[in-house]
Amino acid sequence: MIEIFTRRMEVTNPGVPLVKTERFLDSPPKSRNEALASFMRRIGVCEERGSGVDKVVFQTEYYQLPAPVFEETDEHTRCVLFAHREFREMDKQDRIWATYLHACLRYVQRDYMTNSTLRQRFGIEEKNSAMASRIIKDALEAGKIRQFDESASRKYMKYVPWWA
């Protein structure tokens, strides 16, 4: 079911997800019905890799939209996409979640999140790098990301998702 509201769009699918919602971006595809999935891949309706979430997160970053939210209910899976919001209108949790997804996206692209990439994701000017540093600190404290190499200097620090 697809519902469109003034400031968001919700896509709800019956059934609970086969992987944790916070791992949608990096998990290999799984199917409840492999015979049907195989047929759908052969006729070009779906793809093998399962990169749909990667594409959605990439596009939300490209257009500097708030990060999508993935929710699990007792019987459904829901993805919520939001309309554009200025950086200053995002709350702390929105910023942490966007930072986590940014780190995930960079990781699956075989790269790392840095202060610079996060500034670009949020559209923060270089002179305001302290804002990105604060968001990174919040995401570290929330356990959503971790330092890739703790011995690196602060200026050259790289970050990965907590599970990497």
Side-chain angles (χ1 to χ4, degrees):
M1 173 174 58
I2 299 173
E3 298 175 283
I4 300 174
F5 302 94
T6 305
R7 305 284 301 154
R8 72 184 190 283
M9 179 173 79
E10 297 183 6
V11 180
T12 306
N13 188 46
V16 295
L18 298 175
V19 297
K20 293 181 179 192
T21 57
E22 65 181 6
R23 298 295 303 270
F24 275 3
L25 197 81
D26 71 297
S27 294
K30 291 184 180 181
S31 176
R32 295 181 202 288
N33 183 337
E34 188 51 46
L36 178 61
S38 177
F39 171 72
M40 291 176 71
R41 285 191 292 274
R42 281 196 310 270
I43 64 171
V45 174
C46 68
E47 60 185 30
E48 180 76 36
R49 186 180 170 284
S51 63
V53 173
D54 303 35
K55 291 174 185 174
V56 169
V57 172
F58 176 82
Q59 291 298 317
T60 57
E61 287 196 359
Y62 182 79
Y63 290 103
Q64 294 182 338
L65 300 172
V69 173
F70 308 108
E71 302 172 329
E72 178 181 345
T73 68
D74 291 338
E75 299 177 1
H76 302 88
T77 305
R78 179 179 303 118
C79 175
V80 184
L81 301 167
F82 299 95
H84 179 73
R85 258 188 284 163
E86 293 295 324
F87 175 76
R88 66 183 171 273
E89 297 171 337
M90 296 174 73
D91 66 22
K92 183 177 178 178
Q93 292 307 313
D94 291 338
R95 293 174 184 176
I96 290 171
W97 180 244
T99 300
Y100 168 70
L101 287 181
H102 177 69
C104 291
L105 185 61
R106 300 289 295 188
Y107 188 79
V108 299
Q109 294 172 339
R110 305 285 189 238
D111 205 350
Y112 304 98
M113 182 187 84
T114 64
N115 185 294
S116 176
T117 66
L118 191 64
R119 284 194 324 266
Q120 184 177 18
R121 190 274 179 248
F122 285 120
I124 299 171
E125 294 181 26
E126 187 173 353
K127 66 181 180 183
N128 296 325
S129 64
M131 292 170 68
S133 296
R134 178 64 195 173
I135 298 166
I136 289 170
K137 183 177 183 245
D138 291 342
L140 285 166
E141 289 173 357
K144 295 297 184 185
I145 62 172
R146 66 176 180 81
Q147 296 173 341
F148 174 69
D149 179 6
E150 293 181 16
S151 66
S153 71
R154 195 175 159 129
K155 183 176 181 180
Y156 298 106
M157 189 62 67
K158 297 175 182 176
Y159 303 90
V160 293
W162 61 267
W163 44 260

